[in-house]
Amino acid sequence: MAAENKLELTHISKGFPGVQALDDVSFQLKKGTTHVLCGENGAGKSTLMKIINGLHQQDSGDIFVDGKKVVIQDPLHARKLGIAMIYQELSFVPDMTLEENICLGHWPMKGNALVDWKAVRTNTLQLLKQEGFNYPPDIKLRSLSVSDIQVIEILKAVSINAGIIIMDEPTSAITSKEVENLFVKIEALKKRGVSIIYISHKMDEIFRIADEITVLRDGKIIETRAKNDIDEKTTIELMVGRKIENQYPKKEIPLGEEVLRIKDWSSDGVFQKVNFNLRKGEILGFAGLLGAGRTEVMRTLFGLDPCTAGEITVAGKPRRIKNVQQAMGAGLAMLSEDRRRYGIVPLMSVSENVALVALDKFITNGRWYKRREYETVSAICQKMRVKTPSLDTKVYSLSGGNQQKVILAKWMVRDPEILILDEPTRGIDVGAKSEIYQLMTEFVEQGKSIIMVSSELPELLGMCDRIYVMHEGALTGMLNRNEFSQKAVMQLAVQSAG
Ligand SMILES: Nc1ncnc2c1ncn2[C@@H]1O[C@H](COP(=O)(O)OP(=O)(O)OP(=O)(O)O)[C@@H](O)[C@H]1O
Ligand SMILES: [Mg+2]
C-alpha cells in the first residue's frame, strides 16, 4: 500500500440477518487529511466505522494501519492502535466527571492496582490547557450540554494521541458557532498529521471540511474523489442513485380557519408571553438560535412540561393541557427533538413502534385488525423509504436515520389535526428529506396543520407559510412567506424582544 496511507481497508464485507450492510468495500485514508464518508440512511457508514473501531468484526476483508495488517479485537484494542471514534449517538455516564471520562480505559497507575488520581488531575489539566478549554476537571458530565460533551469526546481522542479520529455526524446537536470551533480544531489536528474520517448529511459542511469524498450506497463504494473534482449536485446524485427534481415541494394552498391560538404562554425563567396562531392547512415555522426556547414552548404545548401561565384555544375551544393524554385528546401530536428518550422503543419491532400511538385505529371493540395495521404501516414505511429487512425487525438494529423515519412515520399514522415537528430532518439523508417534505405537503392538503421547529433555515424558508422567530425565550417577530429571506430571519433571531 502507498506510504502516505494511514489506514487502508481491502474488500471488507459484513452481513447482518437480512441485510448485507457492507459489500466488498475498499477504502484508503491518507495521512493528515479529512475523508468524508457520505451516503443515504442505512448505506453502511456507521457499520464500516464500527468495524474500524473494533465494535463489529468484518466477515471478510483486511485492515491495515500504517501499512501493517491488523485484526482489531475490540474498541480498547482500536484505541491502542491510535483509533478513536466519536459516536453518532453520544454515549456517556452522566455521573462521571470530566477527568474520569477522559482517562477512562487508560488510567495512570500507581503500582499495579491503584489509580494515580493526582496524575489524572494533572494530565487532564494539562490537556485542557493545551487544547484551550477551561472546564473544571471535576465537573460532572450531566451538567454539561450535548455540545460540551462533543468537545470533550474530541479531547479524549486527543488524549490518547489518536492518529485516526472518526466523527460520525458530530454536528447533529451543536450550534453553528460550535461547528466553527470544531472545524478549527480539525484543521489543527490535520496539521499534526492526524487523519480524520467525517460522516455527515450536511452538504455545506461536507464541502468545507473534506479533502476527499467517498460515497457509499447499499453497502458498496460508489466513488471516491478529491473534493475539487466533485460538486454538491453530483454527490447527491451518486448518493441517492436518482435525480432529485424539487427539494422543497411546497404547495401554497388556501388556508382555512384558525385551529390553534396561544395567548401569553409563559414558563418561569424559560419563555415569556408567547402569542401565536395556526390555521388549517398551514405549515408554521419556528426559527431561532439553539436555546432560544422553541423546543421548550412546544414541550409545554404537548403537555411534556408544565407551563406557568397562558391560555390555549384549540378549534375555538379553550383547553387545559397538563399532560400528553390531554394534548393528544385535543388533536395534537409531537415528534420530539430528543428521539432517544421520547421517540422509540428499541426492542420493539418497526411495525409495533409505528402502530404504538394509533392503536385505536387498529383495535376496535376488542378486535385487532392486524392486516389493516400491517398495510398502513407498510405503506407509510415505503413512502418514507425506511430501510429495514422487514417490518418485524427490531428498531435498535436500524441505522440512525432510519430510526428517525420510524418515529416520524408513527406520528403520521396517528393522523392528528395538529402535528408539531421538532427538528424533523435531523440526521436524515437528502433523498429522504424530500420524501418527508412531500408527506408534510400531503398532510396539510387535507386541511391539517403543522408546526415545524428547525435549525435548518433552508427547510423553513422552503416549506413554511409563516415563520415565527424567537430569541432568549421571547418571540421577536413573524414573517409572511413573501417576506422570507435568510437575512430577515437571522436579524430577528439575534435581536431582543422590544
Ligand atoms: N446491530 C445491527 N443488527 C442488525 N442490522 C444492523 C445492525 N447495525 C446496522 N444494521 C443494518 O446495517 C445497515 C447499515 O446501517 P448503518 O448504521 O451502517 O447505516 P448508516 O449509513 O450509518 O446510516 P445513517 O445515515 O442512517 O446513520 C442497515 O440496513 C442497518 O439496518
Ligand atoms: Mg449512521
Side-chain angles (χ1 to χ4, degrees):
M1 85 178 217
E4 81 268 22
N5 281 345
K6 180 71 194 167
L7 171 76
E8 179 157 0
L9 310 176
T10 55
H11 308 295
I12 301 275
S13 293
K14 171 77 183 174
F16 292 112
V19 229
Q20 190 62 33
L22 295 169
D23 184 3
D24 196 25
V25 167
S26 295
F27 175 88
Q28 291 105 28
L29 175 65
K30 298 199 178 84
K31 210 170 157 63
T33 63
T34 304
H35 199 137
V36 167
L37 196 56
C38 54
E40 288 184 295
N41 298 130
K45 304 177 296 294
S46 295
T47 303
L48 188 63
M49 296 306 109
K50 286 176 185 167
I51 286 174
I52 301 171
N53 199 38
L55 211 67
H56 289 320
Q57 245 70 57
Q58 70 269 34
D59 300 335
S60 57
D62 292 316
I63 303 177
F64 300 83
V65 175
D66 291 322
K68 276 201 282 299
K69 183 169 158 180
V70 291
V71 178
I72 302 175
Q73 315 285 354
D74 51 39
L76 207 65
H77 184 202
R79 182 179 297 183
K80 290 208 179 96
L81 293 166
I83 301 167
M85 176 155 171
I86 299 165
Y87 287 96
Q88 184 172 14
E89 304 271 293
L90 283 174
S91 46
F92 63 95
V93 188
D95 281 319
M96 256 182 154
T97 65
L98 192 162
E99 59 191 356
E100 286 166 346
N101 186 58
I102 284 183
C103 296
L104 182 71
H106 59 121
W107 301 102
M109 302 297 280
K110 269 197 296 207
N112 275 336
L114 287 178
V115 172
D116 184 350
W117 287 104
K118 236 167 131 183
V120 166
R121 177 63 51 95
T122 41
N123 292 357
T124 307
L125 281 172
Q126 195 196 341
L127 181 71
L128 286 167
K129 190 161 163 237
Q130 171 197 323
E131 300 299 321
F133 295 111
N134 45 17
Y135 302 102
D138 57 350
I139 191 170
K140 290 258 199 294
L141 293 187
R142 76 158 70 251
S143 58
L144 296 171
S145 68
V146 177
S147 56
D148 287 336
I149 290 167
Q150 249 159 0
V151 170
I152 287 166
E153 292 286 318
I154 296 168
L155 275 181
K156 217 159 103 181
V158 174
S159 83
I160 64 163
N161 264 324
I164 300 169
I165 302 182
I166 301 167
M167 303 186 184
D168 197 350
E169 296 189 41
T171 61
S172 58
I174 65 181
T175 63
S176 47
K177 189 163 151 261
E178 288 157 339
V179 173
E180 295 309 314
N181 290 342
L182 176 67
F183 284 6
V184 170
K185 195 94 250 163
I186 288 179
E187 288 305 320
L189 287 167
K190 269 167 59 176
K191 287 219 179 74
R192 284 187 222 162
V194 176
S195 308
I196 291 153
I197 305 179
Y198 192 96
I199 298 179
S200 174
H201 289 292
K202 299 181 184 165
M203 285 297 146
D204 50 337
E205 274 181 11
I206 293 177
F207 278 86
R208 279 188 55 194
I209 203 72
D211 295 304
E212 285 186 285
I213 296 177
T214 287
V215 178
L216 261 182
R217 193 196 317 146
D218 292 331
K220 294 188 193 63
I221 298 277
I222 300 297
E223 186 103 40
T224 295
R225 286 205 213 161
K227 178 186 52 187
N228 296 333
D229 297 338
I230 190 168
D231 60 14
E232 198 172 311
K233 198 163 155 270
T234 317
T235 309
I236 293 175
E237 279 173 24
L238 290 172
M239 273 170 64
V240 301
R242 64 197 147 90
K243 278 202 162 62
I244 294 190
E245 296 300 343
N246 181 6
Q247 177 80 15
Y248 302 109
K250 173 72 183 166
K251 272 196 200 153
E252 296 200 39
I253 53 173
L255 301 184
E257 68 222 40
E258 183 176 283
V259 283
L260 181 72
R261 174 168 287 272
I262 303 300
K263 189 159 173 271
D264 292 340
W265 199 247
S266 304
S267 171
D268 283 347
V270 190
F271 54 83
Q272 312 83 39
K273 299 218 180 234
V274 170
N275 290 285
F276 69 90
N277 70 336
L278 173 71
R279 295 172 62 184
K280 283 194 170 202
E282 187 169 39
I283 301 180
L284 185 65
F286 271 79
L289 304 176
L290 229 71
R294 296 166 300 164
T295 293
E296 289 72 14
V297 170
M298 299 309 151
R299 288 177 53 86
T300 57
L301 278 185
F302 195 53
L304 285 164
D305 290 331
C307 83
T308 39
E311 290 161 28
I312 175 168
T313 314
V314 182
K317 282 200 215 85
R319 287 274 190 168
R320 280 165 57 87
I321 294 185
K322 299 278 172 225
N323 55 44
V324 173
Q325 279 67 35
Q326 285 174 344
M328 283 173 51
L332 273 69
M334 173 161 164
L335 170 81
S336 121
E337 175 190 40
D338 190 343
R339 310 287 145 77
R340 265 191 305 166
R341 248 191 292 174
Y342 306 102
I344 45 166
V345 188
L347 287 175
M348 278 182 14
S349 71
V350 171
S351 88
E352 285 166 327
N353 267 283
V354 174
L356 197 62
V357 291
L359 284 180
D360 50 344
K361 287 195 178 8
F362 309 119
I363 298 177
T364 317
N365 297 329
R367 190 161 161 212
W368 182 20
Y369 293 87
K370 203 172 170 188
R371 189 165 179 85
R372 190 195 300 165
E373 175 180 312
Y374 180 85
E375 280 165 1
T376 310
V377 172
S378 137
I380 188 100
C381 287
Q382 240 167 38
K383 255 194 171 155
M384 298 179 105
R385 296 170 183 264
V386 176
K387 192 181 170 204
T388 173
S390 84
L391 295 182
D392 298 322
T393 303
K394 303 262 187 289
V395 165
Y396 77 86
S397 77
L398 300 191
S399 79
N402 281 297
Q403 295 189 4
Q404 310 242 20
K405 290 190 218 168
V406 167
I407 307 167
L408 191 55
K410 165 173 111 169
W411 291 114
M412 288 283 182
V413 165
R414 164 94 198 160
D415 203 20
E417 289 303 313
I418 299 168
L419 181 58
I420 305 173
L421 302 172
D422 196 354
E423 303 288 356
T425 63
R426 180 181 284 173
I428 302 245
D429 71 60
V430 275
K433 266 184 192 166
S434 69
E435 310 295 334
I436 287 171
Y437 301 141
Q438 183 59 41
L439 281 171
M440 287 170 61
T441 302
E442 288 169 23
F443 185 80
V444 293
E445 272 183 315
Q446 305 162 39
K448 295 161 180 269
S449 316
I450 291 179
I451 299 177
M452 170 160 68
V453 174
S454 172
S455 303
E456 288 196 37
L457 263 187
E459 77 180 7
L460 287 178
L461 299 173
M463 292 306 295
C464 295
D465 296 285
R466 289 183 297 147
I467 298 176
Y468 281 96
V469 188
M470 288 186 72
H471 175 79
E472 293 184 351
L475 282 179
T476 49
M478 188 271 286
L479 297 166
N480 289 305
R481 198 166 165 82
N482 58 9
E483 303 165 310
F484 281 6
S485 72
Q486 295 236 3
K487 201 167 151 224
V489 175
M490 284 320 292
Q491 263 167 4
L492 289 170
V494 295
Q495 121 188 354
S496 303

